[in-house]
Amino acid sequence: MSAALEKAVEQESATPTRIARGTVLAAAMLTIMAPAVIAPSLPAMREVFSDVAGADVLVRLVLTITSLAIGISAPFAGMIADRIGRKPLLTGSLVLYALAGVAGYFVDALSVLLVTRALLGVAVGGIMTAVSATITDWFDGPKRASFLGLQQAFASIGGVVFLPLAGLLAASNWKSPFWIYAASAVIVPFALLALRERPRGTASGPVVVDDGRARPAIFGPIAGLYLLAFLVTLAFYMAPTQLPFLLAQLGTGPAVVGAVIAATTLSSVGGALAFPSLRARWAPAVLTAASIALLGSGWILVGTASTVAQVVAGLLVGGFGVGLAVPNLNLRLSDLAPAALRGRILSGLVTGIFLGQFLSPLVVQPLIQLTGIGGAFGWSGLVLVVGAIVALPLLRKI
């Protein structure tokens, strides 16, 4: 069978139904917001576990260990996606997501809570990898760009919906937001019934379409994209890890914290929806630099804010930048990845994003000690803006 015919068969068999597309987008809603759902609970959690040695760091770790587990497990998820299939990975990860997420409500020991949060991270890594690989299997060209934009938009909508809800729940009981993770169980039947695998040429995996690119030549740009995703997320994740404490200084409660952090994801929806049209007009390097500069500008606004309204304004600007950045990086990797390695290469982006989330509070803490939380936002934003301008020539190479 010719390569062109193999590709035609693959595309025809992988044409998604509306239910299949809806299932994948619903799963995407559960991903980016997963670690941050408990962000409004952090101040209360710190009080509950105040007698535990190192409570300040460990409570923040309850949020970020999920990101570490995602980053570590994602490459294994990529291997499973390529060798076993996208559908088994997605359905199994959705089940684990519900079980590990809700388990946090029932545990009272901080150490056990950390274990459940790590298992949640394994589930998120599987979901994100399966969703991205499925989308890139389904579409090419402008359709791929458009649907990757939708993926990021729905991931952001998950934050818009679930983070304010988490804030409201945390206002009554800091454990209540853990029930939000049960939403995953609703998607499982649809994943089982509506999704189908690509045709397999052998027992070892899906049909391989050779696009003729020299693989060693793509590894440098791929590594650069991973690094960029790591750095952007390192800065962006200051929002859920540091804003609850910055807003507490302004006299706000958990419900307001959830709503304010949701502003970041709300504007991310706008950025993600604008991505396909901007991608058609701007070169990838220009779009990447612009998205980083927007994030930096937003963080400068947050760092200089004296009111909650000013903080929200900064989050809206920064969130729009991230809404552009993530689908742009995803599309670049999708275009570079050979079909046989697609799951593994896209899983590397998940690793870069969530290792950035995990390391964010650790890297930022020395800066906070020097300048305060507001100063940390301001200086980080300045570095992002200057870095985007200076790095533009380098970005053109990846």
Side-chain angles (χ1 to χ4, degrees):
M1 183 182 291
S2 68
L5 182 57
E6 283 182 347
K7 186 171 183 178
V9 171
E10 178 187 15
Q11 289 177 335
E12 181 179 356
S13 64
T15 301
T17 65
R18 290 183 179 180
I19 295 177
R21 285 176 286 175
T23 299
V24 166
L25 292 176
M29 291 180 66
L30 304 174
T31 55
I32 299 297
M33 66 85 185
V37 159
I38 62 167
S41 299
L42 292 183
M45 196 184 304
R46 182 175 59 182
E47 294 299 320
V48 170
F49 295 110
S50 59
D51 59 335
V52 178
D56 277 352
V57 174
L58 290 176
V59 165
R60 285 180 170 88
L61 191 61
V62 168
L63 189 149
T64 59
I65 195 173
T66 303
S67 302
L68 176 62
I70 296 169
I72 293 174
S73 65
F76 298 99
M79 294 174 62
I80 293 171
D82 285 338
R83 294 180 181 273
I84 299 177
R86 282 61 158 138
K87 180 177 177 177
L89 175 63
L90 181 59
T91 53
S93 298
L94 287 169
V95 171
L96 179 60
Y97 184 102
L99 294 175
V102 174
Y105 179 86
F106 298 97
V107 301
D108 295 315
L110 189 54
S111 58
V112 178
L113 183 58
L114 288 168
V115 172
T116 65
R117 298 294 294 175
L119 290 174
L120 176 68
V122 173
V124 175
I127 293 171
M128 287 194 71
T129 300
V131 166
S132 295
T134 299
I135 291 171
T136 55
D137 288 345
W138 282 348
F139 303 110
D140 289 308
K143 288 185 178 180
R144 177 181 288 176
S146 179
F147 212 87
L148 287 173
L150 280 178
Q151 177 193 2
Q152 178 60 22
F154 271 77
S156 300
I157 289 171
V160 174
V161 173
F162 293 120
L163 288 175
L165 176 60
L168 292 174
L169 292 173
S172 60
N173 184 339
W174 70 269
K175 283 189 170 185
S176 296
F178 288 99
W179 280 107
I180 292 174
Y181 296 110
S184 173
V186 178
I187 306 174
V188 173
F190 294 95
L192 287 171
L193 297 175
L195 297 183
R196 54 182 175 176
E197 291 291 343
R198 296 185 302 167
R200 297 174 182 270
T202 67
S204 61
V207 170
V208 175
V209 179
D210 187 359
D211 59 7
R213 283 179 285 207
R215 292 183 182 178
I218 68 174
F219 292 151
I222 286 173
L225 292 168
Y226 289 165
L227 178 61
L228 191 58
F230 170 77
L231 294 174
V232 168
T233 313
L234 189 77
F236 176 68
Y237 218 62
M238 291 174 65
T241 56
Q242 306 302 335
L243 272 177
F245 303 100
L246 178 63
L247 292 171
Q249 295 174 3
L250 298 176
T252 60
V256 176
V257 170
V260 170
I261 296 176
T264 314
T265 55
L266 179 63
S267 60
S268 293
V269 175
L273 293 177
F275 167 71
S277 61
L278 291 177
R279 177 65 180 83
R281 300 175 186 176
W282 294 359
V286 174
L287 188 56
T288 302
S291 63
I292 296 172
L294 282 169
L295 174 58
S297 299
W299 266 212
I300 291 173
L301 289 174
V302 172
T304 57
S306 57
T307 66
V308 173
Q310 290 172 313
V311 171
V312 171
L315 292 175
L316 290 174
V317 174
F320 190 88
V322 171
L324 291 175
V326 174
N328 188 43
L329 294 172
N330 216 334
L331 181 61
R332 292 290 295 125
L333 285 170
S334 300
D335 291 342
L336 287 169
L341 301 177
R342 190 173 289 154
R344 276 162 280 192
I345 288 176
L346 291 174
S347 72
L349 179 64
V350 178
T351 293
I353 289 173
F354 284 95
L355 285 182
Q357 288 191 5
F358 171 73
L359 291 173
S360 179
L362 303 178
V363 172
V364 172
Q365 188 59 33
L367 185 58
I368 291 175
Q369 293 175 343
L370 288 174
T371 65
I373 297 177
F377 273 97
W379 282 107
S380 297
L382 183 61
V383 169
L384 287 170
V385 171
V386 173
I389 296 171
V390 172
L392 182 57
L394 181 61
L395 291 173
R396 294 184 187 277
K397 299 180 181 180
I398 61 174

